[in-house]
Amino acid sequence: MPGDVDAGWPTVCSVSMLVDVPAVSARLAAAGFIAAEEEAELLVARAAGDAALLAALLERRLTGEPLAWITGSASFCGVEVVVNSGVYVPRWQSEELARRAVERLPARGVAVDLCTGSGAIAAVLAALRPDARVVASDVDSRAVECAVANGVEAYCGDLFAPLPSELRGHVDVVVAVVPYVPTPELPLLQRDTFTFESPLAYDGGADGAELLRRVIADAPGFLRRGGALLLELGGGQADLLRDDLARHGFTDVTVLRDDDGDVRGIEASFTR
């Protein structure tokens, strides 16, 4: 399993074997990392020929530390995003949400990215809609600093609270990857998750929908008529939120699924 260290393998004090991708890949694979070769390539590139540094980076990864924290970046929708240590790492599961947000954002429109983390979704929106205004927020000051490093206009605060007031009624797209794991299910997450990351990045309350409901309730104050709301969620939360969406003026609700058919998010239009 990832995070288990076999003392029989090279450590930071024994670097001669850790000089190329196959050697690092073999070590990662033996420890249970599924994308061992891909990760090895990134670690080798980060070390830039320094065998001692490569060994140190590998040892960090073997503890389960997020790869993006070690390399300092991650690829998201083809955009290379800076990811500082301690900041939520963008997941591939959020990429479809980002792509849908791009499709709904007019060339000169306005988008808001809530709980932006590293600013990954906002950075993709800005890259693909360069003439649009993209604004983001996060309650974590470290995340806001990271998002700013990625060129994002980011504000520190809770959801919509820190956003400029002039955005009210003029936003074309609100996209959010808020914490949505039900509190009772937090222990079911990968075992090393909370060794490095905070439960605040995942805990969505009793049914996982606490923050989702808040976004749905407050988004109408910022969206223009016809604007889009895109939320990442999982399980049966799409059905759980249908009444909330209808009550706050959202229609044309579409459930977003991945290639395996798993629910990854919802897309809705504000028509009130």
Side-chain angles (χ1 to χ4, degrees):
M1 294 292 295
D4 294 333
V5 178
D6 183 342
W9 286 89
T11 67
V12 71
C13 297
S14 176
V15 300
S16 60
M17 293 178 62
L18 295 175
V19 295
D20 57 22
V21 170
V24 177
S25 178
R27 179 64 184 96
L28 290 169
F33 288 83
I34 297 175
E37 184 173 358
E38 178 182 342
E39 293 199 8
E41 290 174 350
L42 293 171
L43 292 173
V44 169
R46 171 67 178 82
D50 186 330
L53 175 58
L54 177 58
L57 297 176
L58 175 59
E59 291 303 312
R60 289 173 62 185
R61 184 61 181 132
L62 291 173
T63 67
E65 182 178 349
L67 181 65
W69 292 3
I70 299 169
T71 63
S73 67
S75 179
F76 184 79
C77 290
V79 175
E80 198 67 19
V81 178
V82 172
V83 183
N84 294 337
S85 182
V87 175
Y88 180 79
V89 179
R91 267 61 167 184
W92 66 266
Q93 292 92 336
S94 304
E95 290 190 341
E96 177 59 21
L97 197 74
R99 285 190 284 266
R100 290 298 305 153
V102 170
E103 291 181 16
R104 294 295 298 264
L105 180 59
R108 297 183 180 275
V110 179
V112 166
D113 176 25
L114 303 176
C115 296
T116 193
S118 63
I121 291 179
V124 169
L125 288 168
L128 298 180
R129 293 288 186 269
D131 293 324
R133 183 181 182 186
V134 182
V135 179
S137 74
D138 201 290
V139 73
D140 187 341
S141 60
R142 295 173 303 173
V144 172
E145 182 180 351
C146 187
V148 170
N150 282 307
V152 175
E153 181 187 344
Y155 298 87
C156 190
D158 183 41
L159 300 178
F160 292 97
L163 299 183
S165 59
E166 70 264 20
L167 297 180
R168 288 185 169 274
H170 299 289
V171 174
D172 297 284
V173 174
V174 170
V175 57
V177 181
V178 305
Y180 62 88
V181 178
T183 304
E185 296 181 16
L186 290 176
L188 303 179
L189 296 177
Q190 186 172 330
R191 69 177 188 179
D192 57 7
T193 297
F194 298 133
T195 301
F196 298 95
E197 297 184 282
S198 167
L200 293 176
Y202 295 90
D203 192 349
D207 60 2
E210 181 178 313
L211 274 79
L212 291 166
R213 291 192 181 93
R214 288 183 54 204
V215 174
I216 292 170
D218 293 344
F222 284 82
L223 284 168
R224 64 167 177 78
R225 183 177 176 85
L229 175 66
L230 295 110
L231 301 173
E232 182 169 298
L233 43 70
Q237 291 172 335
D239 291 331
L240 195 65
L241 295 171
R242 286 190 183 276
D243 288 345
D244 294 89
L245 289 162
R247 184 166 61 255
H248 291 286
F250 291 96
T251 60
D252 301 324
V253 179
T254 300
V255 176
L256 307 178
R257 301 177 183 272
D258 62 21
D259 292 339
D260 294 324
D262 294 326
V263 174
R264 294 298 181 188
I266 57 171
E267 176 182 348
S269 297
F270 180 60
T271 56
R272 181 169 295 173

